[in-house]
Amino acid sequence: MHEIRADHDRASIVVYQAYRPEIGRPAAEQGRFVPPFSRTRMTWIKPSFLWLMARSGWARKPGQEVILAVRISREGWEEALSQAVLTHADRRIYRDSVEWRAAFKHARVHVQWDPERTLHGQPLDGRSIQVGLSRHVIDRYADEWILDIQDMTPLVRKIHRLVHDGETAKAKALLPRERVYPLEPEIARRIGADV
């Protein structure tokens, strides 16, 4: 199953990112990304909290010690998805690998689907989306789409401690509320999402 599950409301969606402290802390304090945040390399945003927890080792991996919840406009999110090209040649979307390669070569936004994760980091059958924003759209993300940035690291550590101590129910109660994000059929088809 390829569906976007996210913390969202009528105007916004929350995506998560992991950074080293010198990038993550100032971003949370100022509510926007400031140097040494790079606008010249691709940045990946993920609406699945548990996927990022598995990827960052619950904020314990080097360079991923600060977890940010970045609330962006739905308009920006959908603008990104409308420009996206999958990171692989999905036969449901592209006639062949030549057509996909041509599209990917000029892609401003990349989409990748990876197994969703459980609270314990185990892969699930369902897929979770990652969206890679290239240097061609990073300014729009940083300057126009972002509505708020929160440092989730203290909550991440608390949830991880509860999981470690076997307090699964308490840990689950603290997770962000994620539900299916509705997509226009044309965008869903473009990124290989289930409609």
Side-chain angles (χ1 to χ4, degrees):
M1 184 178 301
H2 293 69
E3 62 184 12
I4 298 170
R5 298 188 63 80
D7 175 1
H8 63 90
D9 57 29
R10 287 189 342 199
S12 66
I13 178 173
V14 175
V15 294
Y16 300 98
Q17 294 187 274
Y19 285 105
R20 57 187 200 272
E22 56 267 32
I23 294 176
R25 288 189 185 130
E29 289 164 7
Q30 298 188 38
R32 62 190 183 89
F33 287 107
V34 296
F37 174 78
S38 174
R39 291 176 181 242
T40 61
R41 56 186 294 246
M42 183 162 288
T43 190
W44 289 86
I45 56 178
K46 306 102 181 162
S48 169
F49 179 80
L50 287 178
W51 187 92
L52 186 57
M53 293 308 97
R55 180 64 177 261
S56 69
W58 291 89
R60 291 176 300 156
K61 289 185 181 175
Q64 302 184 58
E65 302 93 340
V66 176
I67 304 296
L68 299 179
V70 183
R71 185 170 291 277
I72 64 173
S73 68
R74 282 177 66 152
E75 187 177 286
W77 173 249
E78 291 172 16
E79 181 181 323
L81 295 182
S82 72
Q83 300 177 61
V85 174
L86 290 173
T87 56
H88 68 283
D90 187 323
R91 295 288 181 184
R92 297 173 300 160
I93 301 168
Y94 307 102
R95 283 190 305 271
D96 53 35
S97 61
V98 173
E99 182 187 26
W100 167 76
R101 230 179 261 112
F104 190 73
K105 181 178 180 181
H106 302 289
R108 296 160 59 95
V109 177
H110 296 171
V111 161
Q112 182 170 312
W113 293 92
D114 294 307
E116 182 57 278
R117 300 293 175 148
T118 68
L119 191 60
H120 296 280
Q122 300 302 316
L124 294 167
D125 290 336
R127 295 283 165 162
S128 178
I129 195 171
Q130 290 189 69
V131 178
L133 306 175
S134 75
R135 60 188 173 83
H136 303 289
V137 293
I138 198 87
D139 287 342
R140 304 259 305 150
Y141 171 65
D143 298 332
E144 299 175 36
W145 301 346
I146 293 175
L147 305 173
D148 183 52
I149 300 177
Q150 297 290 321
D151 185 349
M152 297 284 284
T153 315
L155 179 62
V156 165
R157 298 198 190 293
K158 182 175 184 178
I159 295 171
H160 185 248
R161 194 165 43 251
L162 289 168
V163 172
H164 182 267
D165 293 343
E167 302 276 359
T168 306
K170 288 181 182 176
K172 282 184 179 175
L174 296 175
L175 293 175
R177 301 284 178 241
E178 295 174 2
R179 56 198 169 87
V180 175
Y181 184 94
L183 286 172
E184 295 290 330
E186 186 175 321
I187 292 177
R189 188 199 65 76
R190 180 180 190 90
I191 63 172
D194 298 332
V195 180

